[in-house]
């Protein structure tokens, strides 16, 4: 099982999109400065994720999300996700 996720920087509100097989471990990786891109904008929090059956499905979805380059699109995903969690 894989996850595609969006994390948001608590420092500047920017988003980062990625995929992983372990969400908790990956968030820890981002927040401890082990990722070059995200190290300068920590702390991060997971604001959206979805499951993917295979690694290739996760990569496909990650690429689709990254191509959007649209903050409003991401915010709608996150808002819908929050509604489902409530």
């Amino acid at each position: 099982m894989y996850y595609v996720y969006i994390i948001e920087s608590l420092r500047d509100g920017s988003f980062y999109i990625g995929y992983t097989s372990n969400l908790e471990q990956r968030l820890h990786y981002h927040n401890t400065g082990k990722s070059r891109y995200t190290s300068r904008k920590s702390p991060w929090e997971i604001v959206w994720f979805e499951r993917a059956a295979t690694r290739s499905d996760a990569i496909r979805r990650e690429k689709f999300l990254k191509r959007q380059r649209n903050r409003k699109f991401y915010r709608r995903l996150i808002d819908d996700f929050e509604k489902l969690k409530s």
Side-chain angles (χ1 to χ4, degrees), residues 1-7 16-31 44-52 81:
M1 172 83 52
Y2 287 86
Y3 299 90
V4 181
Y5 64 89
I6 299 175
I7 55 176
Y16 178 86
I17 299 165
Y19 77 93
T20 186
S21 60
N22 185 325
L23 276 173
E24 288 180 29
Q25 182 180 17
R26 187 67 173 147
L27 181 62
H28 179 74
Y29 182 85
H30 287 297
N31 281 326
W44 295 89
E45 69 176 350
I46 295 172
V47 292
W48 178 89
F49 70 88
E50 70 180 23
R51 290 180 183 92
F81 182 72

Side-chain angles (χ1 to χ4, degrees), residues 38-79:
T38 59
S39 64
R40 290 172 274 150
K41 297 182 178 198
S42 65
W44 295 89
E45 69 176 350
I46 295 172
V47 292
W48 178 89
F49 70 88
E50 70 180 23
R51 290 180 183 92
T54 66
R55 183 174 180 264
S56 60
D57 289 343
I59 291 170
R60 243 188 316 276
R61 182 67 165 152
E62 177 198 27
K63 286 181 180 181
F64 168 80
L65 292 172
K66 286 182 174 182
R67 279 193 309 265
Q68 300 312 301
R69 297 184 153 269
N70 184 325
R71 188 167 183 79
K72 287 182 184 180
F73 177 84
Y74 301 141
R75 188 51 64 193
R76 273 194 307 268
L77 272 180
I78 294 163
D79 291 345

